Amino acid sequence: MSGPGRARGAGSAHYQRMTKEERRASLRLLGSLLNPYTWQLIGLSIVVIVAQLASLAGPAIIAWGIDNGLPALAEGNAIPAIGAAATHILAALVAGGLMYVFIRWNMTLGQTMLYSLRKRLFLHSQRLDMKFHETYASGRTVARQTSDMDALAQLLNSGLDIMVGSVLQMVFTMVLIVSMDAPSGLVMAGLLVPATMLSVWFQKRSSVIYRQIQTNSARLISHFVETVSGIRAVKTYRRQQANGEIYAQLAEDHRQSALRSIHLFGIYQPTLRWLSSITIAAVLVVGGFRVLGGELQVGVLVALVLYARRFFQPIDEIANFYNTFQSAVAALEKISGLLAERPTVTDPKDPVELPEARGEIVFDNVSFRYQDDLPLALQPTSFRVPAGQTVAIVGSTGAGKSTIAKLMARFYDVTEGSITLDGVNIKDLDLETLTNHIVMVTQESYLFSGSVADNMAIGNPQATREEIRAAAKIIGADIFIDQLPEGFDTDVRARGGRMSAGQRQMISFGRAFLADPTVLILDEATSSLDAPTEAIVQEGLEELLGQRTSFIIAHRLSTVMIADRVLVVEDGQIIEDGTPEELISTGGQFSQLHQAWQDSLSHSELPASKQDGESDAR
Amino acid sequence: MIDAMGRLWRIIKPIRHRLFMGLMVTIAASVVGLMIPQVLGVLVNNLETSPTVATVWFAGGVIVALGLLEAVLMWLRRVFAVGPSTDIERKMRVRFYTWILDMPVAFHNDWGSGQLLSRAQQDVTQIRRWIAFGMIMMVSSAATIVVGLYMMSRSSVLLALIFMVIIFPIVVLTYRFQRDYSVFTRRSQDLNGEISTTVEQSVQGIRVLKAFGRSKQALANFDDDAVALRDNEIRKATTLARFDMFMLALPESMLGLSLLLGLLQVNSGAMNVGQLASFFATATLVVGPTRMVGMLFGQAVQTTTALERYFEVMDAENTIVSPTDPVTIDFDRATGELVMDEVRFRFHDAPEDAPDLFQGVNLHVRPGETMALVGVTGNGKSTLLQLVPRIFDITGGCITIDGVSVHDMDLDDLRRLTAFAFEDTTLFSFSVRDNVLLGVDPELPEEVRDDIAWEALHAADAGFVADLADGIDTHIGEQGFSLSGGQRQRIALARAIAARPALLLLDDPLSALDTKTEERVIAQLREVLDNTTTFIIAHRSSTVALADRVALLDHGKIAAVGTHQELLRTSSRYRYLMASPNQDVEVQS
């Protein structure tokens, strides 16, 4: 309800703003979606046309029965009467059967198209590189795949039904009426004018009110969600009553807009009904005079009246369809925009096979800029890391530490130079092979819905429960996981409120253990842990690093000191390179940092600023 | 079902007269609508026997008039029924909201906001629709069928009987369709929700997926849902197709049969052509209400479910309430002295074999003192803090503030005595000012409130507020998205300080700050908190430095209390946890 509704209000507004070019682009995408199914679409149209004709035949057959069957009966010939009845029943069965075929076929086709587009979009958004994802707001990428797809679904589900079904119903009714009695047809056509005006007026008004309802209900809902998810703050700051008043007001606003909408419909529906009564009356009067004049048979008059009742039924649907169409075209334009994006980081044409890797990483004159108009984020840099070495990368924020990490993980491709793993350019490995060997754990510890175990298993989908448990134990996460209501099976989303940033980070850190890559990159992977926890993780970390090649970006010196080698990065360049001991003794930037660390250690031995005695005295 | 409908009756009792009027006009509208075919019948007979110009005009005029009357009556139904029923809808919604705000946090954790929201929105709307539309249409449709059958029987008893035969299957088929279809619809909504979640996570978690190369797994998850949605939609459409098939074929076949019998009857003189015509016109009008009755049976079932879902929440027991006879609190004399005596606690949904989270916590925070709480991640530090303002209730032992058990205080008083800053900062969609002044007496003069707000903001190093677009009046976007984590945290900290509580509870309020900002905030806090009793969860050693004393929470008990220096000397566990890595310097500048 909310999906299509949302699209309905916003969609038409967006549609008005679109340029011709954009409209053409969306229709092209629609065409490319429909194109493979041309024959099915033609078949469907034939089915719906025949179904409509069969269901419209009823009153005409009744008229024929009255006008021809009755006189024949009087003469003792029952065949026309029986024939009329049989035809009527046959028409009913054909109409029903074909309607079944049509609805089912139409939906199957529409859903098949939607499904393939959904999948294409999802895959496309996954293939797009980090450059895209870091510039295009995530909300927009999501909207393309959700609300825009809803708008399109509306069109595909009801499109043919209404375009062909309802429109044809009106056209055929008109044709039948005119062919039976042209003057009555004229009368009905005349009354179509006010009915159309009424419907257009209603559609315009209702889309305005609809948008109000959407706005008001969005406010109501977001206040509700905000309060309920912030329930602890509501309680501790005693906001129950004040928030209750705000909510009452929002609920009243919502009620007012809903009332406006109901009353609008309350005017539209009876008026349309009255117009249909007027049509009956008009047909009856015009037809009545023609019967009086002997130009029309009574049976035909009855049929005309029966048709008049049905004539206006589809008009509301047709008017509504225009909104659906506008929203869908607007959605298609945005979807085609996303599909037009091209990833720059792609799989090579002829990937090099590398089933096993030792883990030697070489940067050969690598430089990088994020965008063409930006300065180099990494100056031409060369270094070689032999297999098994633990390398700490230190430097101030924005110096280029994360850039080095992202280039190794191929989040971005180097601007110049090359990065090789065991002598193979990482661009020549397909991405799957690359992520088998090189894994990066970032500071942002994103948890997916699912259990704690599921989340850890992202590191290795084949991991057994024992392996997952063992990994958690090494980093000391098993203590808090066991406290959760269902231990490793606890849904992390349902319990999001009880999972602190540190806990989330520990779970995502556990992924790295399970992934067991040849080369591991930890980009601030323990930054949210508190001091005691980090002490525990530190032990696990040494085990994790073990014999593999690893790069650690950390801002705690204790972590850095376990490295075999330190790279100090400043302004996109490596300014110091050596073992921690060497760098301390040569007296560069690293040794200054180390000195500061030493100072703070001794500083902490001093009493805190307040003396114990003071507080006792109070 | 009977219970739910009984409660529905109590809900609508105040507006029952209006609803009754609505029912009356709706029935009247149906009857008037059914008169139109009668006019048609009379006119047709007239044309067959003694046609005059006057009768033709007269018949047309009567139909226009009847049509107008019908339209007015239809309009009146909404006038009578809709206004009061939307008012009931609003009241039910507000009552629901105020009720759940009083419910304990454990209740919210169990239900989740989505469940509560769908009850406050969809279920309440469903109930209103039933009151304003369903109930009335149910009775009036039944009336229409009865009156329609009577009209048809006036044409021909035989034809009316044939029509009666199809009423039952139509009602049953519609009911069953409605029931099955709504199951598919719900399922589609659920699947759409799941797809949205998967898509959202695939975009927000893109770094993780790319770093581990798990896009394929994500696609597989997504594909499962997308296939399920496609199949469900097709099944849903099949249900609709089958229903539409019967609804087209059944009445129309019956009309075909009626045509033959009718013609025979006209031929035999049992009825005339006009009566036959009005039979067909009436039958067309009665098929609609017949379907409506079936549909409304389905609606009735759904409304019952909605009522049950609504009352399921409203009937839940509130376990954290004020005592009937609370102790009077003298706020001017309050010192905020906190004593925990043998405090035990376990979450009500903790696994049975898990030990209690707290197994006898003993702690004394002296008046005016700043006490830091340290311990490993996930051992319950936050929970211990939340026991004080009764966010959760202890399962054993006692917590007192200034010698009064928190269970003997009125909840409002207790939460006025204490102020809380959470690690996950919830700011509301108000202005910064209103967020900061959340716990401040609204009766105070505007200037005083202003001073309090600025003082608190400065203490929390949130001076950046002055540089926001509208300064302190800047409206915070939904969930405070326009601010960074550190900025939000500082505003939340200012909020706690502004409340000027006797006892300040701070749950790691500096975690999102960078080192330099943290140092500044600590320096300012030292001054502000000088006389306020403060219980603070410490994340980094620098926060510990703020405290007079430190308590170490370990394995469900307070393992050691003392100054940082004392504990470094006396507690090996404390030394192990706090000494080496955290006495650390940030390598970045």
PDB file of all heavy atoms in Angstrom, chain B residues 202-220:
ATOM      1  N   SER B 202      22.900  -4.640   1.344  1.00  0.00           N
ATOM      2  CA  SER B 202      23.881  -4.896   0.287  1.00  0.00           C
ATOM      3  C   SER B 202      24.555  -3.603  -0.145  1.00  0.00           C
ATOM      4  O   SER B 202      25.660  -3.612  -0.671  1.00  0.00           O
ATOM      5  CB  SER B 202      23.208  -5.561  -0.909  1.00  0.00           C
ATOM      6  OG  SER B 202      22.528  -4.601  -1.685  1.00  0.00           O
ATOM      7  N   VAL B 203      23.855  -2.479   0.061  1.00  0.00           N
ATOM      8  CA  VAL B 203      24.453  -1.199  -0.314  1.00  0.00           C
ATOM      9  C   VAL B 203      25.252  -0.627   0.855  1.00  0.00           C
ATOM     10  O   VAL B 203      26.391  -0.195   0.701  1.00  0.00           O
ATOM     11  CB  VAL B 203      23.365  -0.206  -0.780  1.00  0.00           C
ATOM     12  CG1 VAL B 203      23.969   1.156  -1.063  1.00  0.00           C
ATOM     13  CG2 VAL B 203      22.670  -0.742  -2.020  1.00  0.00           C
ATOM     14  N   GLN B 204      24.650  -0.669   2.056  1.00  0.00           N
ATOM     15  CA  GLN B 204      25.347  -0.098   3.209  1.00  0.00           C
ATOM     16  C   GLN B 204      26.542  -0.953   3.635  1.00  0.00           C
ATOM     17  O   GLN B 204      27.520  -0.438   4.149  1.00  0.00           O
ATOM     18  CB  GLN B 204      24.375   0.062   4.379  1.00  0.00           C
ATOM     19  CG  GLN B 204      23.399   1.209   4.150  1.00  0.00           C
ATOM     20  CD  GLN B 204      22.228   1.167   5.096  1.00  0.00           C
ATOM     21  OE1 GLN B 204      22.117   0.277   5.924  1.00  0.00           O
ATOM     22  NE2 GLN B 204      21.332   2.126   4.957  1.00  0.00           N
ATOM     23  N   GLY B 205      26.443  -2.244   3.411  1.00  0.00           N
ATOM     24  CA  GLY B 205      27.542  -3.110   3.814  1.00  0.00           C
ATOM     25  C   GLY B 205      28.459  -3.448   2.643  1.00  0.00           C
ATOM     26  O   GLY B 205      29.147  -4.465   2.679  1.00  0.00           O
ATOM     27  N   ILE B 206      28.458  -2.591   1.627  1.00  0.00           N
ATOM     28  CA  ILE B 206      29.184  -2.906   0.392  1.00  0.00           C
ATOM     29  C   ILE B 206      30.675  -3.122   0.643  1.00  0.00           C
ATOM     30  O   ILE B 206      31.300  -3.965  -0.003  1.00  0.00           O
ATOM     31  CB  ILE B 206      28.944  -1.799  -0.677  1.00  0.00           C
ATOM     32  CG1 ILE B 206      29.523  -2.194  -2.022  1.00  0.00           C
ATOM     33  CG2 ILE B 206      29.506  -0.459  -0.245  1.00  0.00           C
ATOM     34  CD1 ILE B 206      28.669  -3.161  -2.782  1.00  0.00           C
ATOM     35  N   ARG B 207      31.224  -2.387   1.614  1.00  0.00           N
ATOM     36  CA  ARG B 207      32.661  -2.536   1.878  1.00  0.00           C
ATOM     37  C   ARG B 207      32.978  -3.947   2.363  1.00  0.00           C
ATOM     38  O   ARG B 207      33.960  -4.553   1.937  1.00  0.00           O
ATOM     39  CB  ARG B 207      33.116  -1.520   2.917  1.00  0.00           C
ATOM     40  CG  ARG B 207      33.394  -0.173   2.324  1.00  0.00           C
ATOM     41  CD  ARG B 207      33.775   0.848   3.376  1.00  0.00           C
ATOM     42  NE  ARG B 207      33.649   2.176   2.806  1.00  0.00           N
ATOM     43  CZ  ARG B 207      32.504   2.812   2.692  1.00  0.00           C
ATOM     44  NH1 ARG B 207      31.383   2.249   3.116  1.00  0.00           N
ATOM     45  NH2 ARG B 207      32.445   4.001   2.146  1.00  0.00           N
ATOM     46  N   VAL B 208      32.140  -4.426   3.265  1.00  0.00           N
ATOM     47  CA  VAL B 208      32.360  -5.781   3.783  1.00  0.00           C
ATOM     48  C   VAL B 208      32.218  -6.795   2.657  1.00  0.00           C
ATOM     49  O   VAL B 208      33.049  -7.691   2.486  1.00  0.00           O
ATOM     50  CB  VAL B 208      31.352  -6.089   4.920  1.00  0.00           C
ATOM     51  CG1 VAL B 208      31.549  -7.511   5.416  1.00  0.00           C
ATOM     52  CG2 VAL B 208      31.510  -5.091   6.051  1.00  0.00           C
ATOM     53  N   LEU B 209      31.160  -6.627   1.849  1.00  0.00           N
ATOM     54  CA  LEU B 209      30.931  -7.582   0.763  1.00  0.00           C
ATOM     55  C   LEU B 209      32.083  -7.575  -0.222  1.00  0.00           C
ATOM     56  O   LEU B 209      32.520  -8.611  -0.711  1.00  0.00           O
ATOM     57  CB  LEU B 209      29.608  -7.264   0.051  1.00  0.00           C
ATOM     58  CG  LEU B 209      28.358  -7.435   0.907  1.00  0.00           C
ATOM     59  CD1 LEU B 209      27.117  -7.005   0.152  1.00  0.00           C
ATOM     60  CD2 LEU B 209      28.222  -8.887   1.349  1.00  0.00           C
ATOM     61  N   LYS B 210      32.599  -6.387  -0.511  1.00  0.00           N
ATOM     62  CA  LYS B 210      33.697  -6.304  -1.476  1.00  0.00           C
ATOM     63  C   LYS B 210      34.994  -6.839  -0.860  1.00  0.00           C
ATOM     64  O   LYS B 210      35.760  -7.522  -1.523  1.00  0.00           O
ATOM     65  CB  LYS B 210      33.876  -4.862  -1.961  1.00  0.00           C
ATOM     66  CG  LYS B 210      32.822  -4.450  -2.983  1.00  0.00           C
ATOM     67  CD  LYS B 210      33.346  -3.363  -3.899  1.00  0.00           C
ATOM     68  CE  LYS B 210      32.289  -2.901  -4.890  1.00  0.00           C
ATOM     69  NZ  LYS B 210      32.109  -3.810  -6.025  1.00  0.00           N
ATOM     70  N   ALA B 211      35.207  -6.488   0.421  1.00  0.00           N
ATOM     71  CA  ALA B 211      36.458  -6.909   1.050  1.00  0.00           C
ATOM     72  C   ALA B 211      36.552  -8.424   1.152  1.00  0.00           C
ATOM     73  O   ALA B 211      37.627  -8.992   0.988  1.00  0.00           O
ATOM     74  CB  ALA B 211      36.573  -6.289   2.442  1.00  0.00           C
ATOM     75  N   PHE B 212      35.426  -9.091   1.402  1.00  0.00           N
ATOM     76  CA  PHE B 212      35.452 -10.549   1.521  1.00  0.00           C
ATOM     77  C   PHE B 212      35.016 -11.226   0.230  1.00  0.00           C
ATOM     78  O   PHE B 212      34.946 -12.445   0.167  1.00  0.00           O
ATOM     79  CB  PHE B 212      34.557 -11.012   2.676  1.00  0.00           C
ATOM     80  CG  PHE B 212      35.128 -10.716   4.038  1.00  0.00           C
ATOM     81  CD1 PHE B 212      34.787  -9.569   4.711  1.00  0.00           C
ATOM     82  CD2 PHE B 212      36.027 -11.593   4.632  1.00  0.00           C
ATOM     83  CE1 PHE B 212      35.323  -9.286   5.955  1.00  0.00           C
ATOM     84  CE2 PHE B 212      36.559 -11.323   5.880  1.00  0.00           C
ATOM     85  CZ  PHE B 212      36.214 -10.163   6.541  1.00  0.00           C
ATOM     86  N   GLY B 213      34.661 -10.421  -0.784  1.00  0.00           N
ATOM     87  CA  GLY B 213      34.220 -10.986  -2.044  1.00  0.00           C
ATOM     88  C   GLY B 213      32.958 -11.814  -1.895  1.00  0.00           C
ATOM     89  O   GLY B 213      32.858 -12.925  -2.398  1.00  0.00           O
ATOM     90  N   ARG B 214      31.990 -11.259  -1.168  1.00  0.00           N
ATOM     91  CA  ARG B 214      30.796 -12.043  -0.859  1.00  0.00           C
ATOM     92  C   ARG B 214      29.551 -11.560  -1.604  1.00  0.00           C
ATOM     93  O   ARG B 214      28.426 -11.841  -1.191  1.00  0.00           O
ATOM     94  CB  ARG B 214      30.522 -12.018   0.644  1.00  0.00           C
ATOM     95  CG  ARG B 214      31.586 -12.696   1.480  1.00  0.00           C
ATOM     96  CD  ARG B 214      31.546 -14.216   1.367  1.00  0.00           C
ATOM     97  NE  ARG B 214      32.650 -14.806   2.102  1.00  0.00           N
ATOM     98  CZ  ARG B 214      33.713 -15.356   1.524  1.00  0.00           C
ATOM     99  NH1 ARG B 214      33.789 -15.422   0.203  1.00  0.00           N
ATOM    100  NH2 ARG B 214      34.691 -15.859   2.254  1.00  0.00           N
ATOM    101  N   SER B 215      29.759 -10.842  -2.717  1.00  0.00           N
ATOM    102  CA  SER B 215      28.598 -10.359  -3.478  1.00  0.00           C
ATOM    103  C   SER B 215      27.728 -11.505  -3.954  1.00  0.00           C
ATOM    104  O   SER B 215      26.515 -11.401  -4.043  1.00  0.00           O
ATOM    105  CB  SER B 215      29.048  -9.532  -4.674  1.00  0.00           C
ATOM    106  OG  SER B 215      29.522  -8.290  -4.232  1.00  0.00           O
ATOM    107  N   LYS B 216      28.364 -12.642  -4.254  1.00  0.00           N
ATOM    108  CA  LYS B 216      27.596 -13.794  -4.748  1.00  0.00           C
ATOM    109  C   LYS B 216      26.650 -14.321  -3.679  1.00  0.00           C
ATOM    110  O   LYS B 216      25.506 -14.639  -3.964  1.00  0.00           O
ATOM    111  CB  LYS B 216      28.551 -14.914  -5.163  1.00  0.00           C
ATOM    112  CG  LYS B 216      28.837 -14.888  -6.641  1.00  0.00           C
ATOM    113  CD  LYS B 216      29.530 -16.162  -7.073  1.00  0.00           C
ATOM    114  CE  LYS B 216      30.141 -15.955  -8.449  1.00  0.00           C
ATOM    115  NZ  LYS B 216      31.284 -16.817  -8.665  1.00  0.00           N
ATOM    116  N   GLN B 217      27.147 -14.407  -2.439  1.00  0.00           N
ATOM    117  CA  GLN B 217      26.280 -14.869  -1.360  1.00  0.00           C
ATOM    118  C   GLN B 217      25.124 -13.899  -1.167  1.00  0.00           C
ATOM    119  O   GLN B 217      23.993 -14.306  -0.952  1.00  0.00           O
ATOM    120  CB  GLN B 217      27.051 -14.984  -0.035  1.00  0.00           C
ATOM    121  CG  GLN B 217      27.709 -16.329   0.180  1.00  0.00           C
ATOM    122  CD  GLN B 217      29.022 -16.422  -0.566  1.00  0.00           C
ATOM    123  OE1 GLN B 217      29.453 -15.464  -1.200  1.00  0.00           O
ATOM    124  NE2 GLN B 217      29.651 -17.582  -0.501  1.00  0.00           N
ATOM    125  N   ALA B 218      25.466 -12.585  -1.233  1.00  0.00           N
ATOM    126  CA  ALA B 218      24.422 -11.582  -1.071  1.00  0.00           C
ATOM    127  C   ALA B 218      23.380 -11.739  -2.168  1.00  0.00           C
ATOM    128  O   ALA B 218      22.175 -11.671  -1.922  1.00  0.00           O
ATOM    129  CB  ALA B 218      25.020 -10.177  -1.097  1.00  0.00           C
ATOM    130  N   LEU B 219      23.860 -11.976  -3.382  1.00  0.00           N
ATOM    131  CA  LEU B 219      22.930 -12.155  -4.497  1.00  0.00           C
ATOM    132  C   LEU B 219      22.072 -13.393  -4.275  1.00  0.00           C
ATOM    133  O   LEU B 219      20.873 -13.378  -4.540  1.00  0.00           O
ATOM    134  CB  LEU B 219      23.679 -12.268  -5.828  1.00  0.00           C
ATOM    135  CG  LEU B 219      22.774 -12.490  -7.030  1.00  0.00           C
ATOM    136  CD1 LEU B 219      21.917 -11.266  -7.304  1.00  0.00           C
ATOM    137  CD2 LEU B 219      23.565 -12.863  -8.273  1.00  0.00           C
ATOM    138  N   ALA B 220      22.683 -14.452  -3.750  1.00  0.00           N
ATOM    139  CA  ALA B 220      21.920 -15.682  -3.520  1.00  0.00           C
ATOM    140  C   ALA B 220      20.806 -15.441  -2.510  1.00  0.00           C
ATOM    141  O   ALA B 220      19.671 -15.864  -2.715  1.00  0.00           O
ATOM    142  CB  ALA B 220      22.848 -16.789  -3.030  1.00  0.00           C
TER     143      ALA B 220
END
